[in-house]
Amino acid sequence: MPKKIAICVGQNIYAPESRVTPLNGCVNDALLIGEMLRMAGFDRIHQVHNEAATQAGILSRLEDAVTSLSEGDY
């Protein structure tokens, strides 16, 4: 049976120098999407939020996921 892996990213807090106003619902949305994916049969859902949701953090999660996939996996 194929594996199904997802990475959900939620970013509420941005660096002050970005001048982006903090958001309120993005992390919650990522958690809810993760739960929907779990109910849809996904095996592993990785959550990456706020300080961990850097380019390096997201790419690291993607690399981990890709290396664990086999042909036919999602």
Side-chain angles (χ1 to χ4, degrees):
M1 177 177 256
K3 283 186 281 189
K4 295 180 181 180
I5 299 173
I7 300 169
C8 299
V9 179
Q11 185 76 23
N12 286 343
I13 302 168
Y14 291 85
E17 61 272 12
S18 72
R19 299 167 63 152
V20 174
T21 303
L23 304 170
N24 294 315
C26 298
V27 170
N28 191 48
D29 289 346
L31 292 168
L32 290 171
I33 293 293
E35 187 54 35
M36 289 173 50
L37 291 169
R38 190 177 327 284
M39 292 186 324
F42 276 68
D43 305 303
R44 292 190 316 181
I45 294 124
H46 302 284
Q47 294 284 343
V48 184
H49 304 148
N50 292 325
E51 293 85 5
T54 61
Q55 180 180 6
I58 294 167
L59 289 175
S60 174
R61 283 293 188 172
L62 285 169
E63 288 171 7
D64 290 345
V66 167
T67 59
S68 72
L69 294 173
S70 301
E71 188 174 334
D73 289 343
Y74 297 90

